[in-house]
Structure formats: structure tokens, C-alpha cells
């Protein structure tokens, strides 16, 4: 009897300990952690640079055990760039040349939505990322990023307008913010936009790629190579960080970025995460905190396309933030979203990223702000995945440069 009593006590204690340790502080469930195998990346790296910590690159592979499918439900979009879910479950999509489309979750597409300001769609420019107002059901307001031609060249700009009741046009389209200075080039616009939990807009801008503009990513007096935080009227949002250097722009949230094409809020912490294109090597995932400097072009895990080192060829420096994760060789990470659905429980709080040169959707398992597993989905589709979002039906929806819209969900 006594031994049975002690056995019962031990069993109860083990159950209590298991319950207490079940959930990590980032919302992941330890009991659903997948088995980790060799890295999904088998191609030689471009550099011999060493990561700053274990798990910063080439983490072990994981595999979704739930039966899922990835189906192209539409194939006739024109260079789609951004996608977001509407309250009624349909999807609003930007097309690079300057129009929007609405799609049902079965792939029926609307006619092109017009009425937007003209875009400069040369190179990497055009109609880029978008988001809808948290009160869209009543005000029908849409916000988007685009490359705008101006007297001094072109620039990353933000506009807003009302989706008309007949859904054929955007009413009252107005440019609310321009990332200065303008530059006569067609690369590295950044271009993602989302609402934070305070009702303000977070916008990513690129450093425009040229040797003349690279240093501006480290200048607090320029809006290039930054995350900016603005109100819905385009003014600097209250509570923005103060940077130490003189002449700091009031809209700056973070600095030292190259070409950030993905933004997402962590569903548990509400913190901003970002994907960023590197040169040859050095694609990054960053956990972006206000007021911090993420290093480009002073530090990077990539090299120039010519094979030369970038700057001094250093990867770490005091006062400059390390990426949570990086790729070498690159996958060209673009739009991304955290999964917060219930249909595939093992995906809870995982990060899904569209990969352009990688031609797949990258799944990252994150625990305590560190990547612990990576999976490549839809690699057999041979598509450049430009953006991804979660629908109101808990499925994932992704668009590709080739004009496809995919639905990714449990079978």
C-alpha cells in the first residue's frame, strides 16, 4: 500500500511538471515539437563566415506530419505582389502593374480594380504590399505601398483609399507618405505594410541598392533601408523610438535594412518580425525591436554579387543586431505570415515565408525567439512565391510571380 501511495504521488508530480512546462513563452507547445533531421540546405555556402550562435543558419529539417495539400486555385493573375484577407473570407491582391483583384477562396477572380495612383513598374517597382484597415467592415479603407515616379527619380510611397461598394475602383486615393530621398533607380523598394496593435502602420523601405544609396541605410536622416511607423494620415506615430544621432526622422522605427520584403506580427507577443534580402548569402529573418540598428551594410553574412566582400567583410559589431536566422546561399525571402489557425496544430505560431529564388514556401519553427526547425513546402511547383497570408478559414494563401494563387491546407 505504501509503495502504491508513493507511486501515485510521483505520477501526480510528473503530470504537474509536464503541465507547467507544456507551453513556451512564445506560445509553442513543446509536446508537438517535430523530430529534427539534417538541414534542408545541402548546397555549399557562398562564404566561410561563421554564425554568431548555434541555430542561426542551416538548422535541422522538420516535416509536417499532418496530411496537407497545396493547390493552385487561380492561374491568371498578372504579377501579383501582395495578398491580404478580407473580413468576408475573400482575398484582396495587388498586381505589380498597378491594379488590384479580389479572389474567392475557390479562385474566382474579379475584374481589375482601378483608380490607384500611377506606379513605376520598371525593375522591382510597381504596386507592392497592402493591408486593410482594422475597421474595414465599416470604412472599407485599404493601404498600400508602391513605387512612385517623382521629379528626382522615384521612391517608396504609401497611399490609402476606399474600396468602392461596387468593388471596381478605389475611391479618394491619396498618397500619405514618401520615403525620402527619391532616387533614379528601380531596385530595392522594400514594400510591405501592416497595422500594429496600436492602430498605426509599419512600412518597410529598401536602401535602393546603388553604391550611392547604401550608406543611407545607416543614416537617421533618410527613410531608406528602414522600418517606419506612421499614422493612417502618414504622420510619425506617437511613441516612436528616439535615435541618438542628430537629425533623426521622427517616423523611424528601426534602421540598417537592405531590402525588407516581409513583415509579420508574432501572434503571441505582438512583436514585429521581418524578412530581408541579402546579396550573395545573408538573407535574414529579424525580430525587429524599436530603436535598434540591424547592421546593413556594416555587417552582413553575404558577399557582393562579384564575389568581393561587403565593406570590411565583418558579421558582428557592438551596437548592431544579429539576425535571428540567415540563409547562405539565398532563398530570396519575401512576404510572410505567422500561422495562428487550428486546422494544422503542429503549425501553431510557425513562420511561413515566400521564397523567390528558392521557389518554395519556407516554414520555420520558432521557440524562445530562436529557429529550431525548417521545412520547404511546394518546392515541386517551380514557382517564385511572392507573398502569403492566412485566410479567415485558417488556410494559407500564397501568390507567385507566375500569376498563381495557391491554397495550402489540411486535406
Amino acid at each position: 500500500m505504501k509503495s502504491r501511495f508513493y507511486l501515485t504521488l510521483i505520477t501526480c508530480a510528473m503530470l504537474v511538471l509536464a503541465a507547467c512546462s507544456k507551453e513556451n513563452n512564445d506560445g509553442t507547445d513543446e509536446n508537438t515539437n517535430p523530430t529534427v533531421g539534417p538541414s534542408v540546405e545541402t548546397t555549399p555556402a557562398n562564404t566561410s563566415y561563421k554564425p554568431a550562435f548555434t541555430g542561426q543558419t542551416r538548422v535541422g529539417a522538420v516535416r509536417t506530419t499532418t496530411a496537407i495539400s497545396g493547390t493552385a486555385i487561380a492561374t491568371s493573375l498578372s504579377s501579383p505582389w501582395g495578398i491580404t484577407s478580407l473580413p468576408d473570407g475573400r482575398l484582396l491582391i495587388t498586381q505589380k502593374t498597378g491594379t488590384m483583384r479580389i479572389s474567392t477562396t475557390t479562385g474566382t477572380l474579379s475584374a481589375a480594380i482601378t483608380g490607384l495612383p500611377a506606379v513605376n513598374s520598371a525593375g522591382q517597382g510597381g504596386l507592392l504590399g497592402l493591408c486593410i484597415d482594422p475597421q474595414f467592415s465599416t470604412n472599407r479603407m485599404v493601404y498600400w505601398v508602391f513605387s512612385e515616379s517623382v521629379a528626382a527619380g522615384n521612391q517608396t510611397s504609401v497611399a490609402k483609399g476606399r474600396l468602392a461598394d461596387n468593388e471596381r475602383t478605389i475611391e479618394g486615393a491619396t498618397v500619405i507618405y514618401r520615403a525620402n530621398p527619391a532616387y533614379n533607380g528601380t531596385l530595392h523598394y522594400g514594400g510591405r505594410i501592416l497595422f500594429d496593435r496600436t492602430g498605426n502602420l509599419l512600412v518597410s523601405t529598401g536602401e535602393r541598392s546603388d553604391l550611392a544609396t547604401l550608406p543611407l541605410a545607416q543614416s537617421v536622416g533618410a527613410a531608406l533601408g528602414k522600418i517606419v511607423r506612421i499614422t493612417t494620415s502618414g504622420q510619425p506615430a506617437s511613441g516612436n523610438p528616439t535615435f541618438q544621432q542628430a537629425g533623426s526622422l521622427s517616423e523611424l522605427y528601426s534602421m540598417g535594412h537592405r531590402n525588407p520584403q516581409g513583415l509579420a506580427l508574432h501572434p503571441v507577443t505582438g512583436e514585429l518580425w521581418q524578412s530581408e534580402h541579402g546579396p550573395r548569402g545573408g538573407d535574414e529573418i529579424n525580430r525587429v525591436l524599436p530603436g535598434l540598428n540591424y547592421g546593413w551594410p556594416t555587417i552582413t553574412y553575404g558577399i557582393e554579387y562579384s564575389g568581393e566582400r561587403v565593406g570590411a567583410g565583418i558579421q558582428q559589431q557592438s551596437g548592431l543586431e544579429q539576425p535571428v536566422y540567415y540563409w547562405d546561399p539565398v532563398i530570396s525571402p519575401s512576404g510572410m505570415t505567422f500561422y495562428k489557425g487550428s486546422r494544422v496544430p503542429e503549425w501553431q505560431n510557425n513562420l511561413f515565408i515566400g521564397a523567390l529564388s528558392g521557389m518554395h514556401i519556407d516554414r520555420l519553427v520558432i521557440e524562445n525567439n530562436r529557429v529550431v526547425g525548417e521545412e520547404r513546402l511546394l518546392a515541386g511547383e517551380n514557382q517564385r512565391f511572392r507573398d502569403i497570408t492566412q485566410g479567415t478559414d485558417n488556410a494559407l494563401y500564397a501568390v507567385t510571380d507566375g500569376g498563381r494563387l495557391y491554397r495550402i491546407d489540411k486535406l
Side-chain angles (χ1 to χ4, degrees), residues 302-356:
I303 56 176
E304 298 283 7
Y305 296 112
S306 65
E308 299 296 317
R309 66 185 184 183
V310 176
I314 60 175
Q315 294 74 58
Q316 301 173 42
Q317 181 172 300
S318 178
L320 302 180
E321 300 302 308
Q322 285 291 307
V324 171
Y325 197 68
Y326 73 87
W327 290 271
D328 182 10
V330 299
I331 65 168
S332 305
S334 193
M336 65 188 206
T337 191
F338 282 97
Y339 184 80
K340 45 188 180 293
S342 57
R343 289 183 55 76
V344 187
E346 63 194 287
W347 286 357
Q348 190 69 27
N349 300 326
N350 291 182
L351 185 60
F352 290 81
I353 309 127
L356 297 170

Side-chain angles (χ1 to χ4, degrees), residues 6-181:
Y6 286 130
L7 180 61
T8 302
L9 281 179
I10 292 170
T11 301
C12 290
M14 291 176 65
L15 289 171
V16 169
L17 286 171
C20 290
S21 63
K22 183 178 180 182
E23 188 169 301
N24 292 320
N25 61 13
D26 64 354
T28 56
D29 189 337
E30 291 181 352
N31 292 338
T32 61
N33 285 348
T35 301
V36 177
S39 172
V40 295
E41 184 57 77
T42 58
T43 305
N46 291 292
T47 76
S48 58
Y49 297 154
K50 303 300 182 185
F53 52 85
T54 301
Q56 194 181 20
T57 190
R58 293 186 181 239
V59 75
V62 296
R63 180 175 171 272
T64 299
T65 58
T66 303
I68 61 169
S69 66
T71 306
I73 59 173
T75 59
S76 60
L77 290 162
S78 177
S79 299
W81 213 94
I83 182 171
T84 193
S85 183
L86 295 172
D88 64 6
R90 295 178 301 159
L91 304 155
L92 184 61
I93 300 166
T94 59
Q95 298 185 130
K96 187 174 181 289
T97 51
T99 57
M100 297 182 186
R101 305 282 290 276
I102 294 175
S103 176
T104 67
T105 55
T106 57
T108 300
L109 297 173
S110 73
I113 299 168
T114 60
L116 289 77
V119 306
N120 180 342
S121 61
Q124 296 175 357
L127 182 58
L128 307 175
L130 83 164
C131 65
I132 61 170
D133 195 284
Q135 305 302 317
F136 179 86
S137 295
T138 54
N139 65 23
R140 300 183 66 81
M141 292 299 295
V142 181
Y143 298 79
W144 64 91
V145 184
F146 70 110
S147 53
E148 182 184 21
S149 294
V150 294
N154 47 72
Q155 59 197 141
T156 303
S157 298
V158 180
K160 68 177 181 180
R162 182 183 184 275
L163 179 62
D165 293 339
N166 63 13
E167 298 182 343
R168 296 176 182 173
T169 188
I170 295 290
E171 300 172 337
T174 305
V175 178
I176 61 172
Y177 179 78
R178 294 179 172 95
N180 290 317

Side-chain angles (χ1 to χ4, degrees), residues 253-254 271-272 287-292 294:
Y253 188 80
S254 64
E271 290 176 337
L272 179 67
R287 173 173 165 255
V288 180
L289 300 179
L292 298 187
Y294 288 82

